[in-house]
Amino acid sequence: MARRVKDRATMKDVAARAGVSIGTVSHVLNRTASISAETSERVRQAMEELNYVPNAMARNMRMKTNHVIGLLIPNLTNNFHAKIASEFVNIADQNKYEVHILGYEYSLEREKNVIYNLLEYSVGTVIIVNGWGDERYIQELIKRGIRVILADRRSDLSDVVSVEFENYQAIKDAVSCLRKKGYHSVGFISEPLNLTNLQDRFKAYQEGLAENGYEFRENHVFISQQLCLDNVKNGYLYMKQLLRMKRKEDLPEAFLASSDLLALGMLRAISEAGYRVPGDFGIVGCDNLQISGYISPGLTTIMQDCGELSRELWKVIQAGNDGKRVENTVLSQKLIIRESC
Amino acid sequence: MARRVKDRATMKDVAARAGVSIGTVSHVLNRTASISAETSERVRQAMEELNYVPNAMARNMRMKTNHVIGLLIPNLTNNFHAKIASEFVNIADQNKYEVHILGYEYSLEREKNVIYNLLEYSVGTVIIVNGWGDERYIQELIKRGIRVILADRRSDLSDVVSVEFENYQAIKDAVSCLRKKGYHSVGFISEPLNLTNLQDRFKAYQEGLAENGYEFRENHVFISQQLCLDNVKNGYLYMKQLLRMKRKEDLPEAFLASSDLLALGMLRAISEAGYRVPGDFGIVGCDNLQISGYISPGLTTIMQDCGELSRELWKVIQAGNDGKRVENTVLSQKLIIRESC
DNA sequence: TGATACTATTAAAACGATTTAATTGAACGT
DNA sequence: ACGTTCAATTAAATCGTTTTAATAGTATCA
């Protein structure tokens, strides 16, 4: 059995106490008709005395609107995603919106549940952060009249607005930085490229190599097929295996890693194998996690401004509410150079 | 303007299509009256064809119940809290409950907003994770008939059930471990002790000193008054200042830190000052963050099992739903010894 | 056969708000 | 004094469900 909520004062109660009709109370609350100063005051007083809090469900039901936004996120324990959630909730909160944070843990069943919930609760807008390639359920949402906004991800679907990061310049900057530091080869290490931003980064990596006089070498590209590398542990295991299977001279001198968590794991594996960073290997991560500036060596990384992302998302939402058509947005990233390269 | 949700099929539509009354549809959906197999089938078919999804708000309003739990958390970007949220959402999800994750960022205004939202949405149960000392708003919630459950925190208030970690044994183990490793003094570094678990830890620290033949020294206790140290940056700055202001011999040889984030920041400051861990200083953290095992040196820390915490919280919720009175629960912690001491 | 019981279905009243159209009373101009 | 306008208020419909009491029809039993 679910829990029955204690009865609270309703408009009816307030109306009775103030000696007016229910409609008047509503009008006072929403300033939706002219009410004389004195009745207005009387109603307010009654609300105060009864500790009245409006019932959002009743209101939403009647109005067929609500102030709730669904935020679909792969995983809250990933600090990058948590940061986005945190920043976005901040903004929404200031605007009297509530955010339902929905971690789907990359699980299809969870996704299904989550979406069903959104429908049941008549959530009108969903923001999908990152996530795997599957676009079927996005279409499902749109078909149901739910507005879908993509963050840190892009789509060819019409009716879907996206706010993503520009993945080319920063990666090229990184390659160029590695060249300046004197590394003779640069590798690319990533989870499977079924995300648009990873695909972009891989292209940028290739172009960066060319622009900086590096040769592209197939065997310097490490794309894990089985693992989700967006996780310290998996990064550690993957790099450990690499160091055991290959001789140092067969590995690139520097790595571009697809996330800071991955890079952090690599750092540990490298250190355990007796190598040094940035001496033996250079590492560049991606995300600029809170921790990345405070480990030793400090991690050189590509920063994505979560605050900016959130603000941009909010703009999209507002524009949409006002009925304006919104263009996709691309935000720039920034290379932060620390000690790991 | 908020967004108006696209019209969806309602029970009325389903009823019309199946040629029955609205009540019948409801009964089919909830098996709340005996309906003949054929009408039942007809109704189901109609639902299918119309893509019917029940309107949770209407239902909740009528039933005066809902399946939503509010989870108040200080800060999502703190990996420890994120882990708790993540684990709890997992369990709730399996039980068809929805969780509203509410990060209040230690801000009073946010807290107020958050609570108002909970009331508006008639949320019946609130879990408060950690958080500062202020108990006024807890009483406010209880007065309103909301069930409050405390996680990783304790209270003397009646009508509040808590699930917390046992903070004595693990801390004592840590002190004893530091003794075995040969450290001659152990300090305590923490944010202000206005949380029950921090108070417990401080007592345990003192008892641990005594039990292991250490002398308690006032000047080895560092309780930051201004800062919230639950954050890498602040830990870094605090330790940096300590190292600049004091001579090494005036500092303890080992530190018990109140969180891993704090410890991580300290590690960096120590390393920058040219000292080594565990050589010059021993460090023990608290939380066992994902990253803690993968930095160098690996951080010795006290692990709190977030999964266990969540499962226990769920038990409390279920028992409460069944009308049973529940006792406070205390979960054990475990010292994980790595290289930092 | 008539009373009884059960099965299947429904009409209608909630739930707590918003909103529209109607009503009342006072003020105004002529 | 009478029509007109305006300000303040309200009655009633509505949103999409659940739930109760009532109804009709059918089977059971003595």
Side-chain angles (χ1 to χ4, degrees):
Chain A
M1 250 304 286
R3 193 151 187 277
R4 220 171 179 92
V5 173
K6 187 176 166 183
D7 282 335
R8 296 180 290 150
T10 70
M11 275 200 170
K12 203 169 154 191
D13 303 324
V14 174
R17 168 149 245 191
V20 296
S21 77
I22 296 181
T24 304
V25 176
S26 174
H27 286 136
V28 169
L29 200 61
N30 308 308
R31 311 179 183 291
T32 167
S34 66
I35 301 285
S36 74
E38 43 187 341
T39 34
S40 196
E41 183 47 41
R42 204 143 32 87
V43 169
R44 255 173 238 296
Q45 183 110 18
M47 286 180 174
E48 187 79 21
E49 288 165 3
L50 294 172
N51 263 320
Y52 173 74
V53 175
N55 182 324
M57 298 210 208
R59 148 181 276 172
N60 289 339
M61 187 179 135
R62 174 62 227 251
M63 307 237 293
K64 293 187 165 204
T65 333
N66 65 36
H67 285 211
V68 179
I69 295 167
L71 186 68
L72 260 77
I73 272 196
N75 195 324
L76 272 179
T77 60
N78 178 320
N79 190 249
F80 178 61
H81 297 145
K83 229 155 70 177
I84 293 177
S86 183
E87 294 274 7
F88 185 76
V89 170
N90 248 320
I91 295 182
D93 191 70
Q94 283 163 25
N95 290 275
K96 311 268 173 219
Y97 265 72
E98 221 195 332
V99 181
H100 286 199
I101 300 173
L102 305 161
Y104 58 90
E105 313 282 341
Y106 293 115
S107 138
L108 263 174
E109 199 193 349
R110 281 291 288 280
E111 251 175 29
K112 260 175 53 189
N113 266 0
V114 156
I115 289 168
Y116 195 76
N117 272 339
L118 291 173
L119 290 172
E120 280 195 324
Y121 281 91
S122 313
V123 167
T125 301
V126 174
I127 297 175
I128 302 180
V129 181
N130 204 276
W132 295 103
D134 193 348
E135 297 201 326
R136 273 172 308 171
Y137 76 94
I138 296 186
Q139 288 176 302
E140 169 81 10
L141 289 174
I142 293 173
K143 207 179 70 191
R144 302 278 198 153
I146 292 182
R147 168 173 53 172
V148 176
I149 302 173
L150 260 33
D152 192 26
R153 168 174 176 176
R154 179 176 60 230
S155 165
D156 293 329
L157 263 44
S158 55
D159 295 323
V160 179
V161 180
S162 69
V163 179
E164 53 169 345
F165 290 103
E166 197 280 316
N167 282 291
Y168 280 79
Q169 195 52 53
I171 290 280
K172 288 186 186 174
D173 289 349
V175 176
S176 144
C177 168
L178 289 168
R179 157 103 300 176
K180 280 201 206 91
K181 301 267 180 178
Y183 291 96
H184 293 100
S185 52
V186 178
F188 186 85
I189 182 166
S190 161
E191 56 210 290
L193 302 182
N194 46 11
L195 247 54
T196 53
N197 58 353
L198 293 181
Q199 291 158 12
D200 289 356
R201 283 185 203 162
F202 185 56
K203 267 197 212 137
Y205 158 71
Q206 291 174 299
E207 291 179 17
L209 288 183
E211 287 174 15
N212 287 277
Y214 284 116
E215 188 187 345
F216 173 75
R217 295 174 54 180
E218 197 70 62
N219 62 348
H220 279 179
V221 174
F222 306 94
I223 293 178
S224 151
Q225 291 308 328
Q226 311 95 315
L227 292 174
C228 161
L229 287 184
D230 198 5
N231 175 303
V232 197
K233 188 179 179 187
N234 289 335
Y236 167 72
L237 293 174
Y238 192 72
M239 190 67 195
K240 190 171 176 178
Q241 191 191 13
L242 235 50
L243 287 165
R244 205 171 40 209
M245 310 264 290
K246 305 217 176 197
R247 289 172 310 172
K248 180 167 188 299
E249 53 269 32
D250 291 334
L251 289 170
E253 291 184 3
F255 286 93
L256 248 42
S258 65
S259 78
D260 274 9
L261 289 175
L262 166 53
L264 258 22
M266 291 170 65
L267 242 31
R268 171 78 191 194
I270 291 171
S271 146
E272 276 185 11
Y275 295 113
R276 315 223 59 188
V277 172
D280 295 306
F281 294 104
I283 305 273
V284 177
C286 203
D287 288 346
N288 191 32
L289 300 188
Q290 194 191 138
I291 186 75
S292 301
Y294 293 96
I295 52 159
S296 303
L299 185 63
T300 293
T301 188
I302 292 172
M303 183 185 89
Q304 299 157 320
D305 187 334
C306 297
E308 194 186 359
L309 177 66
S310 298
R311 284 189 294 277
E312 212 53 50
L313 285 171
W314 192 257
K315 276 191 208 159
V316 171
I317 286 176
Q318 288 209 295
N321 286 350
D322 297 342
K324 291 184 202 133
R325 165 79 191 139
V326 199
E327 293 307 313
N328 293 348
T329 314
V330 178
L331 306 173
S332 64
Q333 303 177 326
K334 199 175 139 202
L335 181 67
I336 297 185
I337 301 174
R338 298 205 183 92
E339 303 125 43
S340 71
C341 81
Chain B
M1 250 305 284
R3 193 151 186 276
R4 221 170 180 91
V5 173
K6 187 175 166 184
D7 282 335
R8 297 179 289 150
T10 70
M11 274 200 172
K12 202 168 155 191
D13 303 325
V14 174
R17 169 148 242 185
V20 295
S21 77
I22 295 180
T24 304
V25 176
S26 174
H27 286 137
V28 169
L29 199 62
N30 308 307
R31 311 180 184 292
T32 167
S34 65
I35 302 285
S36 75
E38 44 187 340
T39 33
S40 197
E41 184 47 42
R42 202 143 33 87
V43 169
R44 256 173 237 296
Q45 183 110 18
M47 287 179 174
E48 188 78 20
E49 288 165 4
L50 294 171
N51 263 320
Y52 173 75
V53 176
N55 182 325
M57 298 210 210
R59 148 181 277 173
N60 289 340
M61 186 179 137
R62 174 62 227 248
M63 307 238 291
K64 293 188 163 204
T65 334
N66 65 36
H67 284 211
V68 179
I69 295 167
L71 186 68
L72 260 77
I73 270 196
N75 195 323
L76 272 179
T77 60
N78 178 320
N79 191 249
F80 177 60
H81 298 145
K83 231 156 67 176
I84 293 176
S86 184
E87 295 274 8
F88 185 75
V89 170
N90 249 319
I91 296 182
D93 192 71
Q94 284 163 24
N95 289 276
K96 309 271 175 219
Y97 264 72
E98 221 195 331
V99 180
H100 286 198
I101 300 173
L102 305 160
Y104 59 90
E105 314 280 340
Y106 293 114
S107 136
L108 264 175
E109 201 192 349
R110 281 291 288 282
E111 251 175 29
K112 260 176 53 189
N113 267 0
V114 156
I115 288 169
Y116 195 74
N117 272 339
L118 291 174
L119 290 172
E120 280 195 323
Y121 280 91
S122 314
V123 167
T125 302
V126 175
I127 297 175
I128 303 179
V129 181
N130 205 275
W132 297 103
D134 195 347
E135 297 201 324
R136 272 172 309 172
Y137 76 93
I138 296 186
Q139 288 177 301
E140 170 81 10
L141 290 174
I142 292 174
K143 208 179 69 191
R144 302 278 199 156
I146 293 182
R147 168 174 52 174
V148 176
I149 302 174
L150 261 33
D152 192 26
R153 168 174 176 176
R154 178 176 60 231
S155 166
D156 292 329
L157 263 44
S158 53
D159 296 322
V160 178
V161 180
S162 70
V163 178
E164 53 169 344
F165 290 102
E166 196 282 315
N167 282 291
Y168 279 80
Q169 194 53 53
I171 291 279
K172 288 185 186 174
D173 289 350
V175 176
S176 145
C177 168
L178 289 168
R179 157 102 300 175
K180 280 202 207 91
K181 301 267 182 178
Y183 292 97
H184 294 100
S185 53
V186 178
F188 185 86
I189 183 165
S190 162
E191 55 210 289
L193 303 182
N194 47 11
L195 245 56
T196 53
N197 58 354
L198 293 181
Q199 289 158 13
D200 288 356
R201 284 185 203 163
F202 185 56
K203 267 197 213 139
Y205 158 70
Q206 291 175 297
E207 291 179 17
L209 288 184
E211 287 174 14
N212 287 279
Y214 283 117
E215 189 188 344
F216 174 73
R217 293 176 55 182
E218 197 69 63
N219 63 348
H220 279 179
V221 174
F222 306 94
I223 293 178
S224 151
Q225 290 309 329
Q226 312 94 315
L227 291 174
C228 160
L229 287 184
D230 198 5
N231 176 302
V232 197
K233 188 179 180 188
N234 289 334
Y236 167 72
L237 292 174
Y238 193 72
M239 190 67 196
K240 191 171 175 178
Q241 192 191 12
L242 235 49
L243 287 165
R244 203 171 40 210
M245 309 263 290
K246 305 217 177 198
R247 289 172 309 170
K248 179 166 187 301
E249 53 269 31
D250 291 334
L251 289 170
E253 290 185 4
F255 286 92
L256 247 44
S258 64
S259 79
D260 273 10
L261 290 174
L262 166 53
L264 259 22
M266 290 169 66
L267 242 31
R268 171 78 190 194
I270 291 171
S271 144
E272 276 185 11
Y275 295 113
R276 315 223 59 189
V277 171
D280 295 305
F281 294 104
I283 304 272
V284 176
C286 202
D287 287 347
N288 192 31
L289 300 187
Q290 194 189 138
I291 186 74
S292 302
Y294 294 96
I295 52 159
S296 302
L299 185 62
T300 293
T301 188
I302 292 172
M303 182 186 91
Q304 300 157 319
D305 187 333
C306 297
E308 195 187 357
L309 177 67
S310 298
R311 285 189 294 277
E312 212 54 49
L313 285 170
W314 192 257
K315 276 191 208 160
V316 171
I317 287 176
Q318 289 209 293
N321 285 351
D322 297 342
K324 291 185 203 132
R325 164 79 190 139
V326 199
E327 294 306 312
N328 294 348
T329 314
V330 177
L331 306 173
S332 64
Q333 303 179 324
K334 198 176 140 202
L335 181 68
I336 297 184
I337 300 174
R338 298 206 183 92
E339 303 124 44
S340 71
C341 80

